[in-house]
Amino acid sequence: MRTLRIDLDQHLLAAAADIMGTTDSNATINEALRRIVVHERQLRNLERLMADSVFSRERPAREDSPADPDSVVTADAVAER
């Protein structure tokens, strides 16, 4: 791993360590980074699922459904032919 020298807010670092139950700065920072990556991936996946869900206001057009509602052939239209 790469060594990086940075200045950290010691109060924020202590609060994060207390929340995560880590015992040293290295473990606290690595756990915080891991959690943010997991959180962001979950958020993106949730956003993608919501975009594809029945609750979405802007549903993507499905390939098997006609884009124009007037082009739908109904049973009455077939009977008239």
Side-chain angles (χ1 to χ4, degrees):
M1 282 194 190
R2 181 176 158 208
T3 301
L4 182 64
R5 185 176 167 90
I6 57 174
D7 293 322
L8 298 172
D9 180 328
Q10 295 300 308
H11 296 291
L12 190 56
L13 184 63
D18 188 48
I19 289 169
M20 293 185 285
T22 52
T23 57
D24 63 25
S25 299
N26 192 50
T28 302
I29 293 166
N30 284 326
E31 179 63 14
L33 290 171
R34 187 193 68 74
R35 288 186 184 194
I36 194 66
V37 167
V38 167
H39 172 78
E40 289 298 318
R41 285 179 180 164
Q42 289 173 337
L43 183 60
R44 287 189 181 109
N45 286 334
L46 181 59
E47 288 170 345
R48 191 181 72 241
L49 287 171
M50 289 300 295
D52 294 341
S53 78
V54 296
F55 301 109
S56 175
R57 291 185 181 163
E58 295 180 16
R59 296 195 52 192
R62 292 179 34 190
E63 291 179 21
D64 61 345
S65 64
D68 180 11
D70 294 330
S71 67
V72 175
V73 178
T74 63
D76 292 337
V78 172
E80 291 174 2
R81 289 183 188 173

